[in-house]
Amino acid sequence: MARLVIVSRRYWPLAGGQETLVGALAKGLQRRGHEVTVLTAQWSAQWPTTIDDEQVKVVRLSQRSSPMWGTWSFTTRLTRWIRGHREQIDGMLVSRIGYSADAAIRGLGRGTRVPVVVSALTESADNDLKWLRQTPFWPRIQAKIQRSAATVANSNYGYQMLLAAGFKAEQIHMVRLGVEPHRAVSPSRRAEARRDLRAANKDLALPVGGKLAVAIRPFHVESGLADLIRAWKRMIENHPDARLWIVGDGGQRSKLAELRRDLELDWHVVLPGVFEQIDEVLAAADVYIADDGSHAGRLLEAMASGLPVVAADTLLHREILGNQGIGSILYGNVHDELASAVGEIFSQSLRWQDSGAFNRNIVQQTHSLDGMLDGYENLLGLSRCES
């Protein structure tokens, strides 16, 4: 049994792609017989500072509310905690390339024998690197990360981004994102999920025989969700009973709700907030929409459910969905091509339900949770000691 620490500033009860992946990783390693502690931030003063999440010990470090001082206070406390517990740490995994990785490695100190793996654990390394390279501290942070046991890319696209940012090829290792197995969506399962969700929230009621598309992502300024809502205005010209659920929350919620009202889409586009578990939401859907800012972990969960996918035409999506794209349609122009692609799936739903099984096979073969766990255990030099 190894005593492992996973550093992730975001963790449950925050609900997102990164949080889901870190939670699955922590619990999976715990099930394999390791003693896992997650170091995360206390985003609310009302949250307890320590909890057990299915035997995983979660330690929440307090931070200030403002973004700049919040980062400083969290990383300071992170370094202090690791420095005080480094004799009880056999391995460390850090989620995201950035200030947390710098603080965690600093806490262990120079000359440590504790293996440290720094992983993007996101859709790619691209978003982190674009932001970090604008800070004057980037050379120092990069140099420190390259002293770790490994820097992980989760895709070929992420691998190329790390190379372009100056990371050494021998330092970069590939561990593809993995998700828990999901029940395949069947007509009976879809009807059951829709009944359950309607009972929990009347806003989620669908017309008899209505089609449903789901998108999951934070409501950020750069989210692109306004374009998605405008595209839906065109969609309902041919499919008036179609519904779009945009699952998530954030600072742009009020503006998106206002746009929805201005376009008279109140009953066609629903903003239901966040769900701790999205299994029921995916089970209710006919298609999943992944724009260029969607988290790959959520895309993989939709694919694992056997859903057809309409995705922005990006290198990462092409890599995940496969060159054949049997279970997906890629779009370029948001307004025209997205509406057309979703409309095609709605019009030929039976054929696309069969095609969605191709997506499920991709996840089972190349994006399993066990495969991701094996990859991190190998990089940390751990033997499998499943309990």
Side-chain angles (χ1 to χ4, degrees):
M1 178 185 74
R3 299 164 297 179
L4 304 179
V5 167
I6 298 178
V7 177
S8 177
R9 193 175 174 189
R10 298 182 62 86
Y11 193 74
W12 183 89
L14 300 176
Q18 178 193 352
E19 296 88 333
T20 300
L21 284 168
V22 174
L25 181 61
K27 294 167 189 174
L29 290 170
Q30 184 80 28
R31 286 194 298 270
R32 290 190 171 193
H34 305 296
E35 181 183 304
V36 180
T37 299
V38 174
L39 296 181
T40 188
Q42 186 186 31
W43 292 93
S44 169
Q46 282 69 49
W47 293 2
T49 55
T50 59
I51 62 168
D52 287 330
D53 184 16
E54 296 184 20
Q55 297 186 321
V56 172
K57 182 180 180 182
V58 180
V59 178
R60 294 178 175 137
L61 306 175
S62 63
Q63 61 178 0
R64 299 185 184 181
S65 56
S66 65
M68 182 180 69
W69 290 111
T71 299
W72 176 84
S73 59
F74 172 74
T75 54
T76 299
R77 288 173 173 82
L78 176 61
T79 298
R80 190 179 302 151
W81 191 97
I82 293 172
R83 189 171 290 151
H85 294 81
R86 55 190 170 192
E87 298 302 321
Q88 292 85 47
I89 301 173
D90 299 316
M92 182 180 296
L93 195 156
V94 185
S95 169
R96 306 295 290 266
I97 296 169
Y99 292 120
S100 293
D102 176 76
I105 295 170
R106 188 166 64 248
L108 288 173
R110 284 185 172 273
T112 180
R113 295 186 177 182
V114 176
V116 179
V117 173
V118 179
S119 173
L121 272 179
T122 60
E123 63 274 16
S124 71
D126 196 18
N127 288 345
D128 290 336
L129 294 176
K130 281 182 180 177
W131 176 72
L132 279 167
R133 279 182 290 187
Q134 298 174 2
T135 77
F137 305 109
W138 170 235
R140 188 197 71 185
I141 293 174
Q142 183 182 28
K144 194 163 294 183
I145 290 173
Q146 292 199 126
R147 293 204 303 268
S148 63
T151 304
V152 170
N154 305 129
S155 64
N156 293 329
Y157 176 76
Y159 183 90
Q160 294 301 321
M161 291 301 101
L162 288 171
L163 282 180
F167 283 86
K168 299 175 182 177
E170 61 270 22
Q171 173 76 11
I172 308 170
H173 298 263
M174 178 75 74
V175 178
R176 296 198 180 275
L177 300 180
V179 295
E180 297 266 15
H182 284 59
R183 286 175 58 188
V185 177
S186 63
S188 60
R189 171 77 173 121
R190 182 175 290 109
E192 175 189 353
R194 290 184 178 188
R195 285 195 302 269
D196 292 344
L197 290 167
R198 181 180 64 233
N201 183 347
K202 62 181 178 59
D203 290 340
L204 301 180
L206 294 167
V208 176
K211 300 299 183 182
L212 173 64
V214 169
I216 304 173
R217 63 160 310 163
F219 296 177
H220 294 159
V221 175
E222 68 278 8
S223 66
L225 290 175
D227 287 332
L228 177 56
I229 293 175
R230 292 188 182 97
W232 207 255
K233 181 69 173 179
R234 301 191 181 191
M235 245 295 304
I236 63 171
E237 293 175 2
N238 297 318
H239 298 273
D241 289 337
R243 298 292 185 266
L244 169 64
W245 295 353
I246 306 178
V247 177
D249 215 338
Q252 294 297 298
R253 182 181 182 84
S254 60
K255 290 188 177 181
L256 294 174
E258 182 180 354
L259 174 64
R260 180 185 61 175
R261 288 191 299 271
D262 292 343
L263 295 176
E264 299 180 342
L265 292 173
D266 293 81
W267 296 107
H268 296 279
V269 176
V270 180
L271 310 176
V274 297
F275 292 79
E276 184 176 332
Q277 300 291 334
I278 64 166
D279 299 42
E280 290 291 296
V281 173
L282 295 176
D286 295 287
V287 61
Y288 181 80
I289 299 176
D291 62 20
D292 59 359
S294 299
H295 196 287
R298 293 307 197 191
L299 170 59
L300 292 172
E301 288 179 288
M303 294 170 65
S305 298
L307 284 178
V309 170
V310 171
D313 191 355
T314 66
L315 292 174
L316 180 64
H317 286 162
R318 283 183 176 270
E319 180 180 339
I320 292 175
L321 293 164
N323 291 327
Q324 297 178 17
I326 293 175
S328 61
I329 301 177
L330 298 174
Y331 68 87
N333 180 282
V334 176
H335 294 163
D336 296 325
E337 295 181 27
L338 188 150
S340 175
V342 174
E344 177 183 334
I345 291 176
F346 285 168
S347 298
Q348 304 179 53
S349 56
L350 291 179
R351 180 176 76 82
W352 277 99
Q353 285 175 22
D354 294 336
S355 298
F358 181 81
N359 290 337
R360 183 172 170 82
N361 289 335
I362 291 176
V363 173
Q364 291 173 340
Q365 293 172 16
T366 60
H367 292 282
S368 70
L369 177 60
D370 277 339
M372 183 170 71
L373 294 172
D374 289 343
Y376 285 113
E377 278 190 322
N378 289 337
L379 291 176
L380 289 168
L382 306 175
S383 60
R384 184 166 176 172
C385 49
E386 194 165 342
S387 57

